[in-house]
């Protein structure tokens, strides 16, 4: 039982990271129908920015965190402007390819600049543990869960209570109609990319104490975040987080209770089963076909 | 230019629309047949890889280019073909039999993947195929009694009718070329058949195809099976060419490379698969060439623009450092993909068509001839 709770908490913590990356996918997808295959790599780049600020320049953790988030928000806007905007409105396949190319590029460039070693970011809650009876919970895992909850709440408020959020929901419903109603769709899309890159950075920094960061971490985790986003139904924000947590828990449980090898494929098996039974995901909206 | 008057359907679906095609392809074939006796053995080996990649490209083109179903799992099909060959070879099964068995088994697996894929579209399909590829990779790593797990598997030299066919010799090259040509001709014929027409109808509009009486699910599964089968055939050759296979070789990276093949070649024509394969295989030697010569060229340019020898030397060293940096290849891949998607979405073959059309219509060429229509309303979710 104790093992079970232990695995559950670490599964949820890992799942929250997946959920945060998946949240980035979903934000971008909802606003522009673009599936950003480079989301994991944005996360990796954010982690490296934070590492540069905190580990190499010796800034305060929170200052470095904020700096990395701001830099990555700017980078997200840049990536949107250069890679995505010219092909908005073209078939999804081309956009998927463009973001795969972007991911390739980021991975290699990060490898060339920072090298291919593993890096670790010292966080204020790196070593502490919380003891409840004989249950031992590491602070860094709890911090991931807390940060995910806070970020989700902030995003929820942002989308439902602010004008900009409403504009984003409008342009995600129908870009052309939103444009005709006077919403600056291009700027909105830019901001969506900035937010999604910022969320990815938060995920990267939170993750750094758990799995370290290296140039390929984005690919590995990004590919785990895809099942999370799809499981939740691409385009649903709560779905992304729930999907992420589910994937994290499944992975953690499979790693503990099932023979070796199941850990890596269990999320994908579950995903295939869910897709078979409910192709639009758990929280997806089933839209009617227009002919 | 030549005007083609098509007076009936037979004219429209002819394999060679006019005699010019026969001449130009004949010349190309002659070149390819002489190639192993003229070119260096390294280049011939690269040509073998071109043939294998082009075969996979044709397979993927059927699925993605003609049926409109994206797949990022073709490395798994290649792996199944390769491992079938490796496994059957241990029991002294003759080449023609395990070659066909590899294709057939992969086609069956492809059909099995096609069934779940029926309900999925767009991004969901991409993720499902990626998941499938991961599962296959893991099974190959764990099923040690058959695949030898992560240690990998030796593949013996191919023997055809009692003759050994070493993977570096000209005979193996001819074999790969023959398979490629057969696959291309077969695919061209498939595309002329009702099945191929149905594929294209599904790509253009699933709803329209269904209302025309096309059995969409049947043809999607067929498309998956045929595409996977061709990839499996390529897998057998791939295993022989490398003479060693292990699960780490069939990763997502490889699937992405196959997509790059058809993307860079052009996703609407079989020419594209071949051009893309040439591009992808030749980029490696080209980069090595650049690595060796680029620093010299750039410092030479610097010297030409008046830099003294010390500066030129420094430039040389810097460029050499960048050129030999780890992972440069990945960065260049990334840039190439993005540039092609942004500026040449029709790929290399599309560029060739544009050039050809420009000269055919010379004073009247319109720049917007190949421009795609953008759709800004919510297309995918409501389609």
């Amino acid at each position: 039982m104790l093992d079970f709770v232990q695995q559950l908490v670490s599964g949820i913590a890992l799942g929250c990271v997946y959920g945060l990356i998946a949240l980035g996918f979903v934000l971008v997808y909802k606003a522009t129908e673009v599936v950003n295959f480079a989301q994991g790599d944005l996360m990796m780049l954010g982690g490296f920015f934070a590492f540069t600020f905190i580990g190499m320049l010796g800034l305060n953790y929170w200052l470095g965190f904020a700096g990395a988030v701001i830099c990555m928000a700017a980078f997200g806007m840049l990536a949107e402007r250069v890679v995505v905007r010219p092909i908005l409105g073209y078939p999804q396949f081309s956009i998927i390819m463009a973001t795969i190319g972007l991911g390739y590029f980021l991975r290699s460039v990060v490898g060339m600049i920072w090298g291919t070693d593993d890096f670790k970011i010292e966080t204020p809650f790196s070593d502490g543990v919380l003891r409840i009876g004989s249950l031992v919970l590491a602070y860094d895992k709890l911090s991931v869960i807390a940060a995910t909850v806070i970020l989700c709440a902030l995003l929820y408020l942002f989308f439902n209570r602010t004008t900009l959020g409403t504009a984003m929901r409008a342009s995600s419903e129908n870009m052309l109609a939103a444009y005709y109603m006077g919403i600056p769709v291009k700027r909105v899309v830019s901001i969506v990319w900035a937010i999604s890159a910022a969320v990815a950075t938060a995920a990267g920094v939170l993750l750094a104490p758990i799995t370290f960061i290296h140039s390929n971490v984005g690919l590995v985790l990004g590919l785990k975040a895809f099942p999370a986003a799809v499981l939740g139904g691409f385009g649903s924000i709560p779905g992304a987080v729930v999907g992420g947590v589910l994937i994290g828990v499944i992975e953690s449980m499979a790693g503990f209770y099932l023979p070796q090898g199941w850990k890596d494929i269990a999320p994908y098996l579950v995903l295939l089963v869910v897709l078979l039974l409910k192709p639009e995901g758990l929280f997806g909206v089933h839209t009617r076909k227009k002919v | 230019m030549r005007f083609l008057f098509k007076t009936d359907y037979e004219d429209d679906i002819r394999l060679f629309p006019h005699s010019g095609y026969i001449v130009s392809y004949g010349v190309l074939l002659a070149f390819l047949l002489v190639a192993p006796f003229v070119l260096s053995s390294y280049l011939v080996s690269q040509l073998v890889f071109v043939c294998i990649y082009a075969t996979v490209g044709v397979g993927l083109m059927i699925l993605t280019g003609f049926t409109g179903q994206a797949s990022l799992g073709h490395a798994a099909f290649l792996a199944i073909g390769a491992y079938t060959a490796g496994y059957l070879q241990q029991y002294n099964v003759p080449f023609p039999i395990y070659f066909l068995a590899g294709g057939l088994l992969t086609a069956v697996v492809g059909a099995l993947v096609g069934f779940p894929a029926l309900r999925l579209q767009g991004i969901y399909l991409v993720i499902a195929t990626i998941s499938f590829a991961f599962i296959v990779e893991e099974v190959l790593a764990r099923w040690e009694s058959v695949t030898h797990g992560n240690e990998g598997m030796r593949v013996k030299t191919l023997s055809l009718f009692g003759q050994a066919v070493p993977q570096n010799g000209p005979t193996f090259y001819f074999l790969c070329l023959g398979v490629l040509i057969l696959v291309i001709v077969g695919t061209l014929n498939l595309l002329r058949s009702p099945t191929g027409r149905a594929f294209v109808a599904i790509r253009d509009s699933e709803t329209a195809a269904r209302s025309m009486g096309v059995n969409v699910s049947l043809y999607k599964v067929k498309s998956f099976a045929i595409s996977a089968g061709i990839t499996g055939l390529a897998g057998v050759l791939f295993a022989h060419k490398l003479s060693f296979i292990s699960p780490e070789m069939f990763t997502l990276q490889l699937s992405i490379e196959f997509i790059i093949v058809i993307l860079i070649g052009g996703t609407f024509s079989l020419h594209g698969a071949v051009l893309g394969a040439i591009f992808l295989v030749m980029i490696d030697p080209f980069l090595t060439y650049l690595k060796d010569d680029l620093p010299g060229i750039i410092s030479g340019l610097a010297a030409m623009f008046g830099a003294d020898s010390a500066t030129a030397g420094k430039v040389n060293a810097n460029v050499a450092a960048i050129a030999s940096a780890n992972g440069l290849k990945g960065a260049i891949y990334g840039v190439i993909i993005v540039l092609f998607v942004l500026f040449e979405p029709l790929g290399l073959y599309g560029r060739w068509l544009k050039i050809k059309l420009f000269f055919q219509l010379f004073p009247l060429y319109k720049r917007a001839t190949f421009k795609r229509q953008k759709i800004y309303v919510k297309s995918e979710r409501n389609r």
Side-chain angles (χ1 to χ4, degrees):
Chain A
M1 187 58 206
L2 199 63
D3 282 339
F4 180 78
V5 178
Q6 204 82 291
Q7 290 300 320
L8 189 68
V9 173
S10 59
I12 292 176
L14 193 60
C16 283
V17 173
Y18 296 156
L20 284 180
I21 307 173
L23 207 58
F25 287 133
V26 168
L27 287 175
V28 168
Y29 182 79
K30 259 181 91 73
T32 50
E33 291 256 307
V34 171
V35 181
N36 180 12
F37 266 72
Q39 190 71 30
D41 299 297
L42 288 180
M43 183 208 82
M44 179 267 300
L45 189 61
F48 272 96
F49 272 134
F51 170 73
T52 313
F53 289 140
I54 300 166
M56 290 164 78
L57 299 179
L59 284 182
N60 175 284
Y61 176 73
W62 299 107
L63 215 58
F65 197 148
V69 167
I70 293 168
C71 285
M72 282 305 294
F75 183 82
M77 279 183 159
L78 179 77
E80 190 271 339
R81 185 68 195 82
V82 175
V83 177
V84 179
R85 194 177 293 175
I87 46 172
L88 265 189
Y90 284 150
Q92 219 173 33
F93 181 68
S94 12
I95 300 177
I96 289 177
M97 282 318 291
T99 53
I100 285 180
L102 179 66
Y104 250 112
F105 180 72
L106 290 182
R107 272 197 298 284
S108 318
V109 168
V110 165
M112 279 156 79
I113 296 177
W114 279 281
T116 44
D117 300 332
D118 287 359
F119 294 102
K120 188 177 191 295
I121 300 176
E122 288 301 325
T123 63
F125 20 76
S126 269
D127 303 317
V129 288
L130 179 72
R131 288 175 195 280
I132 310 172
S134 50
L135 185 68
V136 182
L137 302 174
Y139 273 142
D140 47 15
K141 287 183 179 158
L142 292 176
S143 74
V144 173
I145 299 176
T148 308
V149 172
I150 294 171
L151 263 177
C152 289
L154 282 179
L155 282 174
Y156 177 80
L157 288 179
F158 174 74
F159 272 99
N160 289 299
R161 294 279 188 278
T162 63
T163 326
L164 188 55
T166 315
M168 278 175 190
R169 282 190 292 146
S171 51
S172 87
E173 277 307 314
N174 189 330
M175 224 182 251
L176 210 55
Y179 185 72
Y180 290 152
M181 297 308 285
I183 292 172
V185 174
K186 285 180 182 171
R187 204 184 309 155
V188 165
V189 170
S190 254
I191 296 171
V192 166
W193 271 76
I195 294 176
S196 102
V199 171
T201 311
V205 180
L206 290 169
L207 182 79
I210 303 183
T211 58
F212 303 107
I213 46 171
H214 52 90
S215 52
N216 269 332
V217 76
L219 184 69
V220 177
L221 289 172
L223 286 174
K224 285 280 169 53
F226 263 119
V230 171
L231 206 57
F234 239 95
S236 151
I237 288 179
V241 179
V242 173
V245 170
L246 271 179
I247 294 284
V249 170
I250 290 166
E251 194 184 332
S252 163
M253 293 294 166
F256 192 74
Y257 290 107
L258 292 177
Q260 211 198 351
W262 282 91
K263 180 174 181 285
D264 293 324
I265 57 170
Y268 298 106
L269 280 176
V270 172
L271 172 79
L272 283 183
V273 172
V274 170
L275 282 182
L276 270 183
L277 301 177
K278 208 168 177 317
E280 67 275 4
L282 294 177
F283 290 78
V285 192
H286 192 77
T287 46
R288 235 189 300 169
K289 269 185 190 171
K290 254 183 212 163
V291 183
Chain B
M1 68 182 283
R2 185 194 302 247
F3 291 100
L4 289 179
F5 293 107
K6 294 173 181 170
T7 49
D8 64 3
Y9 187 59
E10 290 299 319
D11 279 344
D12 196 41
I13 61 170
R14 243 194 248 162
L15 263 189
F16 299 103
H18 57 76
S19 56
Y21 279 71
I22 297 171
V23 173
S24 47
Y25 285 121
V27 171
L28 179 67
L29 187 66
F31 268 118
L32 288 174
L33 289 180
V34 190
F37 309 107
V38 186
L39 297 176
S40 70
S41 64
Y42 174 70
L43 277 179
V44 174
S45 160
Q46 293 301 99
L47 271 183
V48 170
F49 276 114
V50 168
C51 289
I52 294 173
Y53 271 66
T55 313
V56 180
V58 170
L60 193 55
M61 190 72 83
I62 294 177
L63 188 66
T64 305
F66 296 124
T67 323
Q69 310 288 304
S71 161
L72 268 176
H74 263 57
F77 294 129
L78 194 78
I80 293 172
Y83 270 96
T84 313
Y87 184 71
L88 289 182
Q89 202 191 29
Q90 292 171 344
Y91 299 97
N92 294 326
V93 179
F95 173 76
I97 292 180
Y98 69 73
F99 181 66
L100 293 178
L104 208 64
L105 180 70
T106 321
V108 170
V109 176
L112 291 181
V113 178
F115 275 111
L118 287 180
R119 300 182 62 184
L120 305 175
Q121 274 192 335
I123 182 66
Y124 293 95
L125 183 59
V126 172
I127 307 284
T129 50
I130 290 179
S131 310
F132 162 72
F134 276 128
I135 291 170
V136 168
E137 205 185 320
E138 201 61 34
V139 167
L140 291 180
R142 301 285 160 199
W143 196 5
E144 294 189 352
S145 57
V146 173
T147 65
H148 300 277
N150 279 322
E151 284 169 26
M153 198 174 190
R154 291 230 138 268
V155 181
K156 280 177 282 182
T157 309
L158 194 159
S159 73
L160 193 57
F161 306 121
Q163 298 277 314
V165 181
Q167 73 262 26
N168 294 321
T171 322
F172 188 71
Y173 163 75
F174 286 133
L175 181 69
C176 291
L177 185 67
V179 170
L180 175 64
I181 291 173
L182 279 182
V183 163
I184 288 180
V185 173
T187 308
L188 282 176
N189 279 319
L190 177 79
L191 288 175
R192 307 194 296 166
S193 74
T195 313
R197 301 281 95 198
F199 287 170
V200 176
I202 291 174
R203 173 192 71 187
D204 288 345
S205 163
E206 211 178 304
T207 317
R210 182 169 284 138
S211 54
M212 294 290 286
V214 172
N215 186 344
V216 172
S217 351
L218 176 72
Y219 282 106
K220 274 188 181 173
V221 172
K222 259 192 196 173
S223 168
F224 259 98
I226 294 172
S227 168
I230 292 175
T231 312
L233 294 182
V236 177
L237 295 175
F238 189 73
H240 278 298
K241 177 64 195 163
L242 294 179
S243 74
F244 175 78
I245 45 178
S246 73
E248 297 101 68
M249 289 159 50
F250 304 99
T251 51
L252 181 69
Q253 170 90 18
L254 192 64
S255 300
I256 293 178
E257 280 184 15
F258 294 147
I259 294 275
I260 295 176
V261 165
I262 63 167
L263 181 90
I264 286 181
T267 10
F268 58 96
S269 152
L270 291 186
H271 290 103
V274 178
L275 288 177
I278 295 173
F279 186 90
L280 192 84
V281 173
M282 288 307 172
I283 192 166
D284 249 344
F286 182 69
L287 282 182
T288 341
Y289 167 77
L290 271 191
K291 236 178 240 182
D292 297 339
D293 293 350
L294 190 68
I297 294 172
I298 290 190
S299 63
L301 278 179
M304 215 166 75
F305 285 103
D308 53 77
S309 62
T311 330
K314 210 185 280 173
V315 169
N316 192 339
N318 283 341
V319 174
I322 294 177
S324 57
N326 238 338
L328 180 74
K329 192 178 148 195
I332 290 179
Y333 265 18
V335 172
I336 285 175
I337 299 174
V338 171
L339 290 182
F340 262 95
V341 172
L342 291 189
F343 300 111
E344 196 61 271
L346 294 177
L348 291 171
Y349 188 60
R351 170 51 57 189
W352 162 243
L353 284 186
K354 284 176 198 174
I355 293 171
K356 206 165 81 172
L357 195 71
F358 177 80
F359 283 108
Q360 282 179 349
L361 303 177
F362 169 60
L364 302 173
Y365 182 74
K366 269 169 42 183
R367 287 196 62 184
T369 309
F370 287 95
K371 205 172 162 69
R372 286 184 297 179
Q373 188 76 42
K374 286 196 171 195
I375 305 165
Y376 285 110
V377 287
K378 296 281 88 176
S379 49
E380 298 276 342
R381 260 180 276 173
N382 295 335
R383 192 157 62 190

